[in-house]
């Protein structure tokens, strides 16, 4: 009984910490059904009701808990929170003091004690509480509270000092930046506009940020971060010329600031000016001739959108030659060059290389070997082979999952089922979040991990934690989208290391042993595409829940789509559209008079314009006006995107690099999807999904076949509906399939 209670209680507190209050309440109540006087469960319910705003109920349960065990610091602390909300400030003060008396290291109790003292006008006592908290463990919130206190006392210089210390501890926090701006306003200091600008920028209030920055510029020039932020504001608002001017201004003042050159290069790439971006790289190299990050970034400058297929070959060949030259002439014998190479490989990845529709194995291996050598030179302690830890009787196999995308991102959504539906009695899961973004799915990963670590921007700290955990197997959920992930994957941190297909391309790294993929999405000769040993999990290899489709709240008119049109939705990222396949769209228009081809534009207006130029040329070849057939919509909210899926008649997939999550979602609304079977896994994802649901009639083997299927679907409503019905019948096979997880766990067992 005691063991069962402990498990329930641990689960309840875990749910509470993640914000799942209703589920936590249910667990706490289960404990109380077994033991009516359980003080921790009573306290837990009080905590839940406090977070739900049910203060009277919360107080009742907290008081009951303390009757059975008065030595609970967390219970006194939560009681203080509730009493403060109810306006009983003196009683709240006493509760916080009792929490501190029981646990003198209770940091939050000092903070809340300081806050309630301010409300009571006891400013000296408040300052004492904040300083006690800081003495125990300096954190940004305590310094912010101290700063607010000093502002109230008109101690402006001390407030500024406190806020600046807080900012050192959490450099991007918009609230701290805003507080600093307000503090400097009290001194009529120009830094007021600067910090208010940074605060607005971090809150993504770009127009407001620009206004503050422009006010600051009237008084003095900015530092490097100022120009980076201002230029990015202009980019976010699609004011590219202003962004370019800003980069030029910044470089004129800070000629040796490699960060400005690198950001300028990427900005030009993102507005379709790759050759100008290379010129900026050359300008930077003229000032900083040995800076490897500029050399490497220049090499991997690919167009986001190609204007013709000849460009693909040109840029690929140039990349190959220049990468060879850089690797051959990159000495790693001195600490200076080792550090430069580390910084260079940490800036970016070869992301756009993978969208050319070619076999990238040789190039990935070449780059992967280079990254491995760079990481080995910088971290020689983390490249040696590791012995498999002995599995003791009763001990679980330790599996680590690492990613920068443990959030509402395709990677996080696709692989979350591996954690949730694992065999918890056999496998102990460790999650390493190395990204900066956090959301509710991040919390979900935290709940479904036995151990969860958030360690952004710190490679040594990640490595130390992984080795401390003594994993049996480490799985990189994605390699190739986030540069530090590639760097980490270039080290040996576990006896067995695997890469999953969050980015469906071989890593090329000699430190990755296995590539975990899906049998339905791989061709027969797939092993020849990977440097790792290929593991083909059955079906799709994942557990993906059937999407919850929101109710449609818009109609076609809201998107400028005629009600009687045959709506073809092609919603992939524009860099997936290769120019040699543009002819597909006018070919459909020639046969389906009422066709409306709906695309989602790029976040960069210049790139969307380049795509429109390509469509214009393709339609003009057959004497048609693309504007009569094509609608380019801006990027959509998730709700609006579901609206589009629900009102479309036909989905049009891309060649070479198909959809995956988009296809899973389109299938959920029974949308017939025309796709093509490519030579590589990344060009077969949709085909694998349609094979699983048993609707392969719309899977084309050739370009001509693709056009024929798309046209027939547009003209034959009965066939369209028959395909939709077939897809619907296959939902039970596609969604919530745990076959792949069982096979994955068999693979883990075999390796350990």
């Amino acid at each position: 009984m005691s063991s069962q209670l402990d498990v329930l209680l641990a689960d309840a507190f875990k749910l509470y910490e993640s914000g799942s209050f209703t589920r936590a309440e249910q667990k706490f109540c289960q404990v109380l059904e077994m033991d009516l006087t359980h003080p921790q469960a009573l306290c837990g319910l009080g905590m839940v009701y406090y977070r739900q705003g049910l203060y009277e109920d919360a107080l009742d349960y907290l008081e009951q808990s303390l009757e059975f065990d008065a030595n609970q610091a967390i219970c006194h602390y939560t009681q203080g929170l509730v009493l403060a909300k109810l306006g009983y400030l003196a009683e709240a003060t006493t509760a916080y003091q009792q929490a501190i008396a029981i646990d003198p290291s209770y940091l939050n109790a000092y903070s809340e004690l300081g806050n309630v003292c301010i409300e009571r006008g006891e400013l000296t006592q408040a300052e004492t509480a904040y300083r006690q908290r800081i003495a125990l463990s300096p954190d940004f919130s305590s310094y912010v509270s101290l700063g607010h206190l000093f502002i109230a006392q008109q101690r402006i210089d001390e407030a500024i000092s406190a806020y600046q210390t807080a900012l050192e501890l959490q450099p991007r926090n918009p609230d701290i930046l805003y507080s600093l701006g307000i503090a400097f306003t009290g001194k009529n200091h120009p830094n007021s506009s600067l910090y208010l600008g940074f605060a607005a920028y971090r809150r993504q209030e770009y127009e407001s940020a620009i206004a503050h920055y422009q006010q600051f510029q009237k008084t003095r020039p900015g530092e490097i971060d100022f120009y980076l932020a201002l230029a990015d504001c202009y980019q976010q608002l699609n004011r590219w010329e202003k962004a370019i001017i800003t980069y030029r201004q910044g470089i004129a003042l800070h000629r040796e600031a490699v960060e400005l050159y690198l950001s300028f290069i990427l900005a030009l790439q993102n507005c379709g000016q790759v050759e100008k971006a290379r010129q900026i790289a050359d300008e930077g190299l003229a000032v900083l001739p040995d800076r490897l990050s500029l050399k490497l970034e220049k090499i991997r400058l690919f167009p986001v959108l190609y204007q013709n297929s000849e460009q693909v070959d040109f840029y690929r060949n140039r990349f190959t030659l220049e990468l060879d030259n850089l690797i051959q002439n990159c000495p790693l014998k001195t600490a200076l060059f080792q550090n430069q190479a580390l910084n260079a490989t940490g800036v970016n990845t070869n992301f756009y290389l993978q969208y050319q529709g070619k076999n990238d194995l040789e190039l990935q291996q070449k780059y992967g070997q280079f990254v491995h050598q760079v990481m080995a030179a910088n971290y020689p302690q983390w490249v040696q082979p590791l012995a498999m830890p002995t599995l003791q009787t009763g001990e679980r196999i330790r599996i680590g999952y690492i990613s920068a995308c443990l959030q509402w991102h395709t990677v996080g959504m696709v692989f979350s089922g591996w954690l949730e539906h694992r065999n918890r009695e056999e496998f102990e899961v460790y999650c390493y979040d190395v990204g900066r973004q956090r959301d509710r799915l991040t919390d979900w990963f935290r709940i479904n991990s036995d151990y969860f670590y958030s360690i952004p921007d710190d490679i040594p700290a990640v490595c130390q934690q992984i080795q401390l955990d003594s994993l049996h197997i480490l799985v990189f959920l994605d390699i190739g989208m986030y540069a530090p992930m590639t760097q980490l994957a270039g080290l040996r941190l576990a006896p067995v290391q695997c890469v999953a297909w969050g980015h469906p391309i071989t890593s090329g790294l000699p430190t990755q042993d296995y590539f975990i993929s899906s049998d339905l999405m791989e061709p027969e000769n797939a092993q020849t595409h990977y440097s790792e040993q290929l593991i083909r999990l059955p079906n799709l290899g994942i557990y993906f829940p059937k999407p919850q489709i929101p109710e449609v709240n818009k109609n076609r008119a809201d998107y400028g789509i005629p009600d009687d049109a045959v709506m073809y939705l092609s919603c992939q990222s524009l860099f997936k559209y290769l120019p040699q396949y543009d002819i597909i769209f006018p070919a459909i228009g020639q046969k389906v008079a009422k066709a409306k081809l709906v695309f989602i534009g790029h976040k960069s207006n210049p790139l969307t314009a380049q795509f429109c130029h390509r469509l214009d040329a393709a339609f003009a070849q057959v004497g048609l006006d693309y504007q009569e057939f094509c609608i380019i919509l801006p990027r959509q909210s998730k709700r609006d995107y579901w609206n589009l899926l629900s009102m479309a008649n036909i989905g049009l997939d891309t060649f070479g690099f198909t959809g995956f999550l988009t296809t899973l979602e389109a299938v959920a609304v029974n949308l017939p999807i025309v796709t093509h079977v490519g030579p590589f896994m990344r060009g077969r994802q949709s085909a694998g999904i349609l094979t699983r649901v048993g609707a392969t009639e719309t899977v084309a083997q050739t370009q001509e076949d693709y056009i024929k299927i798309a046209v027939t679907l547009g003209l034959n409503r009965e066939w369209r509906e028959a395909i939709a019905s077939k897809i619907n019948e296959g939902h039970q096979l596609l969604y919530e399939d745990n076959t792949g997880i069982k096979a994955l766990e068999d693979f883990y067992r075999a390796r350990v």
Side-chain angles (χ1 to χ4, degrees), residues 633-651:
L633 295 174
R635 293 166 73 86
Q636 303 290 303
S637 69
K638 196 64 183 175
R639 179 69 179 269
D640 285 344
Y641 173 69
W642 277 109
N643 284 332
L644 286 171
L645 279 179
S646 299
M647 63 182 62
N649 300 117
I650 302 147

Side-chain angles (χ1 to χ4, degrees), residues 11-21 24 28 44 47-48 50-51 78:
D11 287 345
F13 277 110
K14 216 170 187 183
L15 288 164
Y16 171 82
E17 291 296 332
S18 71
S20 301
F21 301 127
F28 285 128
M47 292 162 64
V48 166
Y50 164 71
R51 294 295 294 272
T78 309

Side-chain angles (χ1 to χ4, degrees), residues 261-297:
Y261 289 108
L262 289 170
S263 292
F264 194 5
I265 288 165
L266 294 177
L268 288 167
Q269 181 186 37
N270 284 324
C271 65
Q273 300 183 45
V274 171
E275 293 309 311
K276 283 189 178 179
R278 283 175 64 89
Q279 291 174 18
I280 298 303
D282 287 334
E283 287 181 26
L285 288 166
V287 179
L288 303 160
D290 296 324
R291 197 55 65 98
L292 190 62
S293 54
L294 287 171
K295 293 178 181 178
L296 186 55
E297 210 53 46

Side-chain angles (χ1 to χ4, degrees), residues 60-115:
D60 181 37
Y61 278 97
L62 292 167
E63 287 174 349
Q64 287 184 56
S65 175
L66 290 171
E67 284 177 18
F68 295 111
D69 182 1
N71 201 37
Q72 299 177 82
I74 191 171
C75 201
H76 286 289
Y77 169 74
T78 309
Q79 188 181 46
L81 295 174
V82 174
L83 289 166
K85 286 289 186 182
L86 293 172
Y88 302 121
L89 301 184
E91 292 83 352
T93 301
T94 301
Y96 294 135
Q97 289 169 339
Q98 287 173 320
I100 292 167
I102 295 168
D103 181 1
S105 65
Y106 203 140
L107 301 177
N108 288 345
Y110 290 101
S111 299
E112 293 300 335
L113 177 59
N115 295 343

Side-chain angles (χ1 to χ4, degrees), residues 427-642:
F427 297 96
E428 189 169 70
V429 163
Y430 296 72
C431 260
Y432 307 92
D433 179 13
V434 298
R436 291 179 180 173
Q437 301 296 320
R438 306 281 181 276
D439 57 28
R440 289 185 65 186
L441 190 56
T442 312
D443 293 333
W444 185 97
F445 273 99
R446 190 185 302 275
I447 295 171
N448 283 279
S449 304
D450 293 290
Y451 299 91
F452 183 94
Y453 306 97
S454 178
I455 314 175
D457 307 318
D458 195 337
I459 285 175
V462 176
C463 296
Q464 289 164 7
Q465 186 59 61
I466 291 174
Q467 292 230 316
L468 188 66
D469 292 332
S470 188
L471 301 175
H472 295 99
I473 298 173
L474 177 61
V475 182
F476 292 80
L477 294 178
D478 55 282
I479 299 176
M481 295 187 291
Y482 179 63
M485 277 286 288
T486 306
Q487 292 180 309
L488 285 162
L491 297 169
R492 173 60 66 176
L493 303 174
V496 173
Q497 297 191 157
C498 312
V499 51
W501 48 271
H503 188 54
I505 183 75
T506 181
S507 72
L509 292 160
T511 46
Q512 293 302 308
D513 307 307
Y514 299 95
F515 190 98
I516 302 173
S517 188
S518 149
D519 189 50
L520 286 179
M521 295 190 287
E522 291 286 1
E524 288 186 13
N525 67 337
Q527 182 59 68
T528 63
H529 306 153
Y530 297 97
S531 60
E532 309 87 354
Q533 183 176 335
L534 181 64
I535 303 300
R536 304 170 67 128
L537 299 181
N539 303 332
L540 297 187
I542 61 168
Y543 181 102
F544 195 84
K546 187 174 181 179
Q548 298 297 310
I549 303 165
E551 186 178 344
V552 175
N553 64 346
K554 289 186 178 180
N555 55 41
R556 285 189 172 190
D558 293 314
Y559 300 90
I561 303 166
D563 283 337
D564 64 345
V566 178
M567 178 182 165
Y568 291 86
L569 179 62
S570 193
C571 56
Q572 298 304 311
S573 298
L574 293 190
F575 47 77
K576 287 186 177 181
Y577 293 83
L578 288 167
Q580 59 265 39
Y581 303 113
D582 288 351
I583 193 63
I584 286 167
F585 306 120
I588 294 170
Q590 282 181 301
K591 299 287 181 66
V592 185
K594 290 189 174 182
K596 285 293 179 185
L597 300 135
V598 179
F599 303 91
I600 306 293
H602 196 275
K603 64 181 180 181
S604 161
N605 287 348
L607 288 177
T608 302
Q610 286 186 0
F611 183 65
C612 290
H613 177 74
R614 271 178 33 189
L615 288 176
D616 188 18
F619 276 80
Q621 283 183 11
V622 297
L624 296 177
D625 181 353
Y626 90 98
Q627 291 183 324
E628 291 184 12
F629 293 91
C630 299
I631 295 173
I632 316 293
L633 295 174
R635 293 166 73 86
Q636 303 290 303
S637 69
K638 196 64 183 175
R639 179 69 179 269
D640 285 344
Y641 173 69
W642 277 109

Side-chain angles (χ1 to χ4, degrees), residues 7 19 28 70 97 119 130 143 150 173 202 242 252 255 270 375 407 443 449 477 517 545 605 620 623 637:
V7 170
F28 285 128
Q97 289 169 339
E119 285 194 68
Y130 294 142
Y143 283 106
F150 292 148
N173 188 299
R202 292 297 172 196
K242 286 282 191 182
R255 293 192 68 239
N270 284 324
M375 298 306 288
Q407 54 194 266
D443 293 333
S449 304
L477 294 178
S517 188
N605 287 348
S637 69

